[in-house]
Amino acid sequence: MRKPAKTPPGKPFAPKLPPSLTAKRRGVVAILRLSRPQKRNALDDTTILGIETFFKSLPKDVKAVVIHGAGRHFSAGLDLGELTERSIAEAVLHSRMWHRVFDAIQFGRVPVVAVLHGAVVGGGLELAAACHLRVAERSAYYALPEGSRGIFLGGGGSVRLPRLIGTSRVMELMLTGRTYSAAEGQSFGVSHVLADDGKGLAKGIELAERVAENAPMSNFAIMHALPRIAESDPGSGLFAESLMASVASSTGEAKARLKDFLEKRGKKVLRE
Ligand code: 1HE
């Protein structure tokens, strides 16, 4: 593994965010913190719309994002206090608002690393699933208590979570209300990396900095083309892959990087 990156202390950067969110920069990485620990980072409408504002106002030179949570938990999910008397139409639009915001994460401009600890529950797990990489501290645990609250997934979880851990496990979480530990989440495919408690953010930033070193067109292809190709029929997928590969390799960036390697300046791929 690479050594933890040395970066200057985080500088605040300032789109107009609600108090439940804090944004900082460390070089090319922007760090978004869910900052409502008194409510266990429950996601109210203001916070969800604030996440949208953050992604809309990312400076052009930011190349990756890290999302993490203040306090003892990543997120307790949907703010149940806001789940009052909504009409069916309002409830549909509310869920569609979450979809819009989480789509802006998944299909945005830069890769996003989620750093998970404590409760990663309901909408909190849906938020994590919309990110591209997940680091879990050993304290992290996962649950989908929607069944016990009389509700259902509404933040894209029924689309994204089965693709991560399989429909059968999502069904188990939802029907039984059981939790998965960080170790189970790691083996089932929720997280990519496990970190000791208190070390997740440093690991997340390290990964984000590594991701930011990639050619922008390659990151674009990984975020936008790969998941769509994986969902298409094989013939269309192979065709789209060829197009994407030729677009990426024809950029000046790709040409310069290949030249660097061939002239012995590029990094080797060595066992970590
Ligand atoms: C909340 C929420 C919340 C805490 N909405 N206010 N999510 C859930 O079903 C999870 C519900 N929360 C919990 O199970 C627990 O709060 C935790 C395990 C996450 C944390 O426990 P703990 O002991 O550290 O905290 P607490 O004492 O339970 O909560 C502290 C405060 O946060 C308290 O408010 P207070 O004013 O009495 O201090 C709680 O009411 C408040 N709080 N969680 C609102 N979720 C798009 S669809 C997605 C559907 C879902 O996400 S369903 C899952 C909902």
Side-chain angles (χ1 to χ4, degrees):
M1 260 298 171
R2 292 152 52 88
K3 285 195 182 142
K6 285 193 188 119
T7 46
K11 287 193 215 127
F13 89 95
K16 191 127 185 58
L17 295 179
S20 54
L21 293 171
T22 323
K24 285 189 175 173
R25 267 194 81 154
R26 283 170 78 120
V28 294
V29 176
I31 304 168
L32 179 65
R33 185 175 65 174
L34 307 175
S35 302
R36 205 186 172 211
Q38 71 284 8
K39 292 287 180 190
R40 307 311 183 246
N41 298 322
L43 300 166
D44 56 3
D45 288 359
T46 307
T47 305
I48 293 292
L49 292 170
I51 293 174
E52 183 172 47
T53 303
F54 169 86
F55 279 95
K56 272 191 181 157
S57 22
L58 269 187
K60 285 264 180 310
D61 57 339
V62 162
K63 295 189 173 165
V65 166
V66 173
I67 298 184
H68 70 124
R72 288 194 297 114
H73 302 284
F74 175 72
S75 172
L78 174 72
D79 187 319
L80 295 169
E82 286 194 341
L83 199 64
T84 44
E85 298 292 310
R86 283 196 187 108
S87 69
I88 290 178
E90 285 163 348
V92 171
L93 288 175
H94 182 259
S95 165
R96 296 297 291 154
M97 185 258 283
W98 278 54
H99 291 168
R100 186 184 76 229
V101 175
F102 288 5
D103 267 8
I105 297 175
Q106 183 178 359
F107 298 114
R109 189 176 60 74
V110 298
V112 182
V113 181
V115 176
L116 310 174
H117 74 294
V120 184
V121 170
L125 184 52
E126 294 181 295
L127 169 60
C131 300
H132 305 95
L133 292 173
R134 281 162 295 278
V135 175
E137 292 192 353
R138 290 183 194 279
S139 67
Y141 65 95
Y142 310 101
L144 295 172
E146 280 81 349
S148 68
R149 310 280 180 225
I151 55 178
F152 188 63
L153 296 159
S158 31
V159 170
R160 293 192 180 96
L161 290 168
R163 286 170 169 77
L164 282 187
I165 62 175
T167 307
S168 157
R169 289 206 174 94
V170 177
M171 215 176 255
E172 184 200 13
L173 284 173
M174 296 194 75
L175 286 175
T176 66
R178 71 166 283 195
T179 61
Y180 289 157
S181 66
E184 285 170 315
Q186 174 74 14
S187 67
F188 297 160
V190 180
S191 59
H192 299 95
V193 178
L194 271 185
D196 287 337
D197 290 343
K199 306 279 187 214
L201 181 58
K203 178 45 107 184
I205 293 171
E206 181 194 333
L207 286 181
E209 287 174 339
R210 166 69 196 84
V211 162
E213 288 171 6
N214 292 334
M217 184 56 82
S218 297
N219 278 351
F220 172 84
I222 294 161
M223 290 169 62
H224 290 261
L226 176 63
R228 291 183 167 105
I229 290 171
E231 298 290 332
S232 39
D233 69 275
S236 310
L238 291 172
F239 183 65
E241 181 188 84
S242 301
L243 292 181
M244 191 65 250
S246 60
V247 169
S249 62
S250 66
T251 57
E253 179 89 29
K255 287 183 180 140
R257 285 173 182 238
L258 295 172
K259 188 165 183 283
D260 277 351
F261 179 77
L262 295 172
E263 293 173 3
K264 311 287 182 210
R265 290 186 301 273
K267 270 195 215 153
K268 292 189 185 182
V269 181
L270 300 172
R271 196 199 314 263
E272 294 179 337

